[in-house]
Amino acid sequence: KKIKHILLTGSASQTSGIDDFLQSHLKLEVKLGDPLINIQTKKKYDFSKQKFIPYATSIGLALKKFS
């Protein structure tokens, strides 16, 4: 299969300019992961996904535990 895009997660994904650097050198679309994408709440919260990117692995493991 051909790689269509790269999904950046974790603390290193917040390195300034890393997404642009990878996109220009690899010629692929680069996106920042959203660790909150599968979290649903009754109340609407205004979360910045960038604030939670360093916790992507922890959030994913917690969601797996409850699925």
Side-chain angles (χ1 to χ4, degrees), residues 25-36:
H25 283 77
L26 300 175
K27 308 294 186 227
L28 293 169
E29 180 182 9
V30 176
K31 303 175 184 178
L32 284 178
D34 182 356
L36 303 177

Side-chain angles (χ1 to χ4, degrees), residues 4-64:
K4 297 179 181 178
H5 65 269
I6 294 174
L7 185 64
L8 299 177
T9 62
S11 298
S13 69
Q14 295 181 323
T15 302
S16 179
I18 191 73
D19 51 345
D20 292 332
F21 174 83
L22 290 171
Q23 190 161 312
S24 67
H25 283 77
L26 300 175
K27 308 294 186 227
L28 293 169
E29 180 182 9
V30 176
K31 303 175 184 178
L32 284 178
D34 182 356
L36 303 177
I37 197 165
N38 292 316
I39 295 178
Q40 299 174 5
T41 61
K42 292 179 182 178
K43 186 176 177 182
K44 180 71 175 163
Y45 294 98
D46 186 23
F47 289 129
S48 166
K49 73 177 178 182
Q50 285 197 309
K51 182 177 180 178
F52 289 92
I53 286 177
Y55 306 104
T57 301
S58 299
I59 292 170
L61 290 171
L63 289 173
K64 184 174 180 167

